[in-house]
Amino acid sequence: MGNLLITDATALDALDEARQSAAMTALRISMLCVAALVSGAGRATSSPSTISIRVRPIVGICAGLCPDFKISLVGERRVVVRQFAFRPALGRVRTFDVPSAAAAAFREELAPLRPAGTLDRGVPCPLNGADERLRYGASDYDIRWSGGGAPSRLRGCKTDRELDLAVTRALLDLSLSPAATPLTQRQVGEARACLRQKGNAYC
């Protein structure tokens, strides 16, 4: 009888340990599930940074012909283009969505330029002669990143070749010309070919 009682007690202890182990395992799984849900919710509510490019003429000889606009990529795929003019009534705003791949290419193109904080590259911008100003205008760039981390700002010049090419390629990613006018896919391909051959979007 004594041995039987000991055996029964041992079995009960083993059963209790098994139940405790199963309960701990269930608790760990529940905690992991909660952590995954919280993490997933954080990713779902976080949005990509907003990137805006402001291009403005810095000389008064353009007579409204030089690029003067602001383009913003907001959220995942929304693009807002605002064209400025001497008379505010002539300005216009366009809003449209682009494919996710195009938005990603735009962000990737500008990512290497993003400074930590604010950076001025070569501003105030130099004027390189009347002929060049009449052909292209003398413009400056003001690029801003907000959201997705600390805000950043880069100010530079059209005469900065690296910056100018990066902005041009980024605009083409959104099917926009260097003046922020809409382009067809054929026109985008032609502009990219011109960039490769001559370093300019206009052959």
Side-chain angles (χ1 to χ4, degrees):
M1 286 294 293
N3 290 338
L4 181 58
L5 290 173
I6 293 174
T7 300
D8 290 343
T10 302
L12 289 173
D13 290 342
L15 182 59
D16 287 341
E17 291 179 1
R19 288 174 176 171
Q20 291 176 5
S21 177
M24 291 299 296
T25 300
L27 179 61
R28 292 191 187 99
I29 293 174
S30 298
M31 293 175 66
L32 289 173
C33 290
V34 170
L37 288 173
V38 171
S39 176
R43 287 193 298 269
T45 55
S46 63
S47 59
S49 61
T50 294
I51 305 176
S52 65
I53 303 175
R54 176 73 169 96
V55 179
R56 59 170 65 84
I58 58 175
V59 292
I61 61 175
C62 290
L65 301 177
C66 300
D68 188 2
F69 64 88
K70 179 180 180 181
I71 184 270
S72 301
L73 177 62
V74 183
E76 294 287 349
R77 303 186 299 118
R78 178 59 52 92
V79 176
V80 180
V81 179
R82 180 175 182 183
Q83 297 282 358
F84 296 90
F86 290 122
R87 287 184 293 169
L90 297 179
R92 59 188 184 276
V93 178
R94 293 184 294 113
T95 303
F96 55 93
D97 290 336
V98 295
S100 297
F106 176 85
R107 295 181 188 281
E108 183 178 353
E109 185 65 56
L110 296 176
L113 298 174
R114 183 172 187 173
T118 299
L119 175 64
D120 289 341
R121 281 176 48 158
V123 292
C125 300
L127 304 180
N128 290 343
D131 290 342
E132 181 175 347
R133 295 203 307 274
L134 286 169
R135 284 188 62 191
Y136 303 112
S139 302
D140 66 5
Y141 293 130
D142 189 346
I143 308 175
R144 304 190 188 205
W145 295 259
S146 60
S152 305
R153 182 182 184 185
L154 173 64
R155 295 180 62 232
C157 307
K158 186 175 179 64
T159 51
D160 184 329
R161 192 65 176 155
E162 177 189 12
L163 177 58
D164 185 49
L165 288 175
V167 170
T168 299
R169 289 192 296 262
L171 291 173
L172 290 176
D173 288 331
L174 303 181
S175 297
L176 295 173
S177 75
T181 55
L183 298 176
T184 65
Q185 288 304 304
R186 177 179 178 179
Q187 291 171 324
V188 169
E190 292 172 348
R192 291 190 188 281
C194 289
L195 275 180
R196 291 192 297 268
Q197 296 169 10
K198 298 186 177 181
N200 194 298
Y202 303 106
C203 288

